[in-house]
Amino acid sequence: MPSNRTRGLVAGTVALATTLLGACESSTPADAFRADAEALKRGKALFAGTCAGYCHSPAVERAAPYLFDCTWRKGSGTDQEIFDAIADGVPDTAMLGFRGKLPEGDADIWRLVAYITTSGPGC
Amino acid sequence: MRYGKFVAAAACGLLFACQPPQGTGTETDAVAPAEGETASEVAVAPETPTHWTSDGNIGNGLGPVSNDDLLAGSADTEKWLLYGGNYANYRHSPIDDINVDNVAGLRVAWAFPTGTVQQFEVSPTVYDGIMYVSSSNNRLFALNAATGELYWRYDHQLPDDLRLCCGIVNRGVAITGDTILMATLDAKMVAFNRLTGEVLWEVTLAPYADGFSATSMPMIVRDMAIIGIAGGEYGVRGFFDAYDVATGELRWRHYTIPEEGEPGVETWAGDSYKTGGAPAWTSGAYDPETDILYWTTGNPAPDWNGDLRAGDNLYSNSLLAVNPNTGERLWHFQFTPHDVWDYDGNTQLFLVDVERDGETISAIVQANRNGFFYILDRATGAFIEGTVYVEELNWATLDENGRPVVNELANPVEEPDYRVCPSNLGGMNGAWTGAYNPDLKLAYIPSVESCQYYEKGITVFQKGQAFLGGTPIPVDVEEGIAHGHVSAIDVNTGEVRWRYMDADPMMGGALSLAGGVVFTGNQEGFALALDAATGELLWKFRMGGGMRSQPVAYQAEGKSYVAIGSGNFTTFVAFAGGPTAIPEGGHLFVFALPD
């Protein structure tokens, strides 16, 4: 089995990430999803199907930023900043906004936020 | 050489109305006015030039490229005019004064930098003592083919928000008459005077912001330049076009996905045909005897989730036979129906005659990205034979008609744990070439062995946004077992005669010489020469950057040369497997034997 960054990083980091984020940011809808295995599973599926591949690959750095190393090009990586980047896109880049596009709307964006923030090393 | 667009910002009159051109490395270095100064009094640094033209007094006076020149192709050793060397795509030169006995003595004759990063995938074009070299980021250089002297240069200005899947690549420029043609990453085609470098016309193939781009060398058929579009990862509707070389006028467009009411639309569930991809991002082949153009297509979209596009998804991953005068489709053969692995069907086509049971058959052979080597009837598209040319293939077998019988375990799932072979890079891939030695009847195929997991996910279509449906997980890279080879395949049988093995996936193009040598390169940065009959390594030279280009051979001033580009894309190295520590940067090396 591969020891890759794409797999098996969710469960063990949920509590730590929640604690660290909670210390510097008010509550967001991502908080509940971080503690919800089904929500994280859907966040993972959304990420694999919509964000990864040839863009934000969790396996290698591609043209789009790698999202699991706690460094952020926009802001400091708060839940709201990540949500806004997904929802509204990043101007003058190939990153378009997904507000109103995903099957379950804002909730799916928050599930993505939850997945992204719990799948790295813990920031 | 003079600056073609040397325009100082002050000439615009209103300083702040002048916006620096978008793209790479061309920002105007304007100085802000100090207090009390007006804008018109401020010294302004000149805009970085992006186009250097020539007075046209270059070359050997050979005159315009004729249709006969194109039909002869690389048989004329002083020219390399077509991506495939000839219309049958042999990438074979009759040059034999570089051969198995002396190739070990090859030395660098000259070299030239591109100043750009990512893959340097060019197949140089040579005519009239001039070599035309395009690089990543759509730079175009005209060089003296014997000395490397720069004659003219054009840097296409690109927007910052290109919609690309796989790098800022370009694979070369077409030539006919006195015109050079380059397709661009922002989905345009630009025509140049071959002697001066001046732009003759520019056309937009499609809006780049909708997911379109163009990376391949246009293909000239008579007075038309044929170019296909990329964008299979963005859910575009794929197409290839024929343009009038003289005017840039569109002659015809062949869409690769049918519309409502057209045959084949029933192979797409619901409205999925509207976002189905099937790009046409590589060059084709042409049979002048039958006047049939052959073009190929790429993956259906989204790549790794086929749930919403049930059906065969015609004409994705297909070989299309087309009337070049009208663009009308004559027949098709689909390699990978309902693809969920990203097995674009657009690797190099070789038009060859094969011997089967004592009979000579005009055939098309192709080492497909899906790992099968196909032998098809060139007149009808009928399936003759399919063999496995990669070491590992487990996604399917072929039935008697060449249709895959899919291994259900290979389908993408949410939690994958099954190594699927080959990878979505191949096997072979349309981003690089093979070569064919007509004397030995062997096709030389650089290949990847890097199996993957395929993770299926949730996706939605949004115009201009990647539409992927899942992601490949490069498990062999993570395990350190990804590798590559050049396989020599007998086109009569599809059997592998020999393999040259390499520690990394081989993703550079190939060239065959009548001297019995095959040139290619590896990701470690070596240019390689192999014995065409045995695969024995005869020569290698460390160029530095990984080899991702399409080598060519030509003669200039009575001397034989082999040109090979160096320069890789680290992201792709990490994805396919290879030495990620080697820096990026394009560099062309031209080799010759000592006098």
Side-chain angles (χ1 to χ4, degrees):
Chain A
M1 290 292 289
S3 57
N4 61 67
R5 295 175 293 195
T6 68
R7 307 169 62 79
L9 294 176
V10 175
T13 56
V14 169
L16 176 60
T18 304
T19 302
L20 292 173
L21 287 164
C24 57
E25 185 181 11
S26 58
S27 175
T28 72
D31 291 333
F33 289 143
R34 274 188 282 266
D36 179 343
E38 282 302 309
L40 288 172
K41 182 180 177 185
R42 183 172 173 84
K44 180 175 182 288
L46 286 161
F47 191 87
T50 303
C51 315
Y54 289 128
C55 300
H56 301 285
S57 170
V60 295
E61 174 87 47
R62 300 196 70 106
Y66 179 70
L67 299 179
F68 304 99
D69 58 1
C70 301
T71 60
W72 304 96
R73 296 191 188 182
K74 302 285 182 184
S76 57
T78 66
D79 283 1
Q80 192 62 52
E81 286 168 340
I82 299 170
F83 179 93
D84 291 345
I86 299 171
D88 301 326
V90 178
D92 301 322
T93 74
M95 173 66 189
L96 303 181
F98 284 88
R99 191 186 301 278
K101 299 291 184 182
L102 297 177
E104 296 183 17
D106 283 3
D108 271 346
I109 298 179
W110 284 117
R111 291 184 183 100
L112 276 168
V113 173
Y115 171 71
I116 292 167
T117 54
T118 55
S119 298
C123 307
Chain B
M1 187 166 65
R2 65 177 189 268
Y3 292 159
K5 289 183 180 175
F6 196 88
V7 182
C12 297
L14 293 172
L15 178 67
F16 298 110
C18 289
Q19 296 297 317
Q22 290 188 303
T24 54
T26 57
E27 291 188 359
T28 303
D29 189 16
V31 180
E35 190 174 352
E37 290 183 313
T38 62
S40 61
E41 295 170 335
V42 176
V44 177
E47 184 173 322
T48 303
T50 60
H51 191 182
W52 295 257
T53 55
S54 157
D55 63 8
N57 187 27
I58 63 174
N60 300 324
L62 209 53
V65 175
S66 69
N67 194 51
D68 285 345
D69 291 331
L70 294 168
L71 291 170
S74 55
D76 183 338
T77 54
E78 293 191 342
K79 307 180 179 76
W80 192 285
L81 304 176
L82 298 163
Y83 187 68
N86 61 8
Y87 279 126
N89 283 335
Y90 290 180
R91 297 192 64 80
H92 175 82
S93 169
I95 288 174
D96 60 5
D97 58 359
I98 298 173
N99 53 52
V100 290
D101 296 324
N102 62 20
V103 68
L106 274 187
R107 300 287 184 270
V108 175
W110 57 268
F112 190 85
T114 69
T116 60
V117 295
Q118 299 192 18
Q119 311 100 305
F120 184 27
E121 292 190 357
V122 69
S123 177
T125 296
V126 180
Y127 180 72
D128 194 20
I130 306 168
M131 177 187 290
Y132 301 93
V133 177
S134 60
S135 74
S136 55
N137 254 359
N138 285 125
R139 287 186 178 178
L140 173 56
F141 307 94
L143 308 169
N144 182 312
T147 68
E149 177 189 355
L150 175 63
Y151 288 143
W152 58 262
R153 167 182 164 183
Y154 170 84
D155 295 359
H156 190 65
Q157 298 305 287
L158 292 161
D160 292 331
D161 58 345
L162 291 167
R163 305 301 205 267
L164 309 175
C165 75
C166 307
I168 50 176
V169 301
N170 185 272
R171 291 184 207 89
V173 296
I175 187 169
T176 187
D178 282 327
T179 302
I180 297 286
L181 298 117
M182 178 171 70
T184 70
L185 295 161
D186 55 349
K188 297 177 180 177
M189 186 158 62
V190 188
F192 305 85
N193 180 292
R194 73 175 181 89
L195 295 171
T196 68
E198 292 170 339
V199 172
L200 303 174
W201 51 259
E202 177 179 303
V203 294
T204 297
L205 311 177
Y208 80 87
D210 290 353
F212 294 97
S213 58
T215 57
S216 61
M217 181 189 292
M219 185 175 189
I220 305 297
V221 175
R222 291 189 285 276
D223 60 346
M224 295 176 289
I226 300 166
I227 181 69
I229 204 74
E233 276 64 50
Y234 289 83
V236 303
R237 185 184 185 202
F239 64 83
F240 52 103
D241 288 346
Y243 290 90
D244 185 313
V245 171
T247 64
E249 179 187 1
L250 179 66
R251 292 274 188 86
W252 51 256
R253 169 165 294 183
H254 185 113
Y255 280 109
T256 59
I257 297 177
E259 280 191 311
E260 194 66 51
E262 294 179 343
V265 75
E266 73 282 357
T267 65
W268 297 84
D271 287 345
S272 61
Y273 68 94
K274 294 179 178 177
T275 56
W281 57 271
T282 55
S283 293
Y286 173 62
D287 187 341
E289 290 188 12
T290 57
D291 198 25
I292 295 177
L293 174 70
Y294 300 95
W295 214 267
T296 49
T297 63
N299 64 279
D303 297 46
W304 297 289
N305 186 337
D307 293 354
L308 297 178
R309 51 175 173 81
D312 281 358
N313 306 146
L314 289 171
Y315 296 92
S316 64
N317 294 341
S318 295
L319 164 62
L320 307 176
V322 169
N323 179 339
N325 300 304
T326 63
E328 175 193 12
R329 186 176 59 254
L330 305 173
W331 52 258
H332 77 279
F333 179 87
Q334 189 175 37
F335 301 101
T336 309
H338 191 72
D339 173 22
V340 288
W341 305 274
D342 192 22
Y343 288 152
D344 290 50
N346 59 1
T347 48
Q348 186 169 345
L349 302 170
F350 299 95
L351 308 188
V352 296
D353 290 338
V354 300
E355 307 294 330
R356 306 281 299 184
D357 302 324
E359 186 183 357
T360 301
I361 301 173
S362 293
I364 294 182
V365 301
Q366 187 206 46
N368 196 278
R369 191 153 135 179
N370 68 14
F372 289 106
F373 185 84
Y374 292 86
I375 304 173
L376 305 175
D377 188 304
R378 192 152 89 223
T380 65
F383 175 76
I384 297 173
E385 180 79 83
T387 59
V388 176
Y389 72 94
V390 292
E391 293 179 315
E392 288 189 271
L393 188 158
N394 63 8
W395 72 276
T397 56
L398 298 181
D399 72 11
E400 67 277 11
N401 297 312
R403 184 180 176 90
V405 180
V406 172
N407 170 6
E408 294 300 323
L409 293 172
N411 284 320
V413 293
E414 288 195 3
E415 299 291 344
D417 60 1
Y418 186 81
R419 278 176 75 247
V420 182
C421 312
S423 75
N424 77 311
L425 296 172
M428 199 195 183
N429 187 296
W432 60 85
T433 54
Y436 173 68
N437 185 316
D439 302 320
L440 298 175
K441 301 283 249 181
L442 293 177
Y444 306 100
I445 307 298
S447 298
V448 175
E449 299 283 350
S450 183
C451 305
Q452 297 169 331
Y453 291 172
Y454 291 99
E455 180 178 355
K456 185 165 79 172
I458 300 167
T459 193
V460 291
F461 175 76
Q462 182 175 188
K463 185 180 286 189
Q465 187 73 53
F467 185 44
L468 302 171
T471 193
I473 300 171
V475 287
D476 280 12
V477 178
E478 293 164 9
E479 294 289 343
I481 59 173
H483 62 280
H485 49 80
V486 174
S487 290
I489 302 173
D490 183 328
V491 300
N492 288 329
T493 63
E495 295 173 355
V496 174
R497 287 274 192 86
W498 55 255
R499 290 195 210 273
Y500 171 81
M501 302 301 297
D502 196 273
D504 304 311
M506 295 195 77
M507 305 194 295
L511 162 71
S512 166
L513 295 191
V517 180
V518 176
F519 286 92
T520 186
N522 66 14
Q523 291 198 75
E524 196 178 353
F526 282 102
L528 305 170
L530 310 176
D531 185 315
T534 66
E536 178 189 357
L537 178 64
L538 302 172
W539 167 85
K540 66 178 183 177
F541 175 84
R542 189 188 294 276
M543 299 186 294
M547 192 285 208
R548 296 294 311 276
S549 66
Q550 328 306 327
V552 301
Y554 61 95
Q555 292 178 317
E557 299 178 7
K559 196 173 181 67
S560 295
Y561 296 92
V562 173
I564 307 179
S566 158
N568 208 345
F569 182 18
T570 305
T571 291
F572 247 94
V573 179
F575 184 65
T580 54
I582 296 176
E584 298 183 7
H587 218 97
L588 182 74
F589 289 86
V590 177
F591 301 95
L593 293 170
D595 291 326

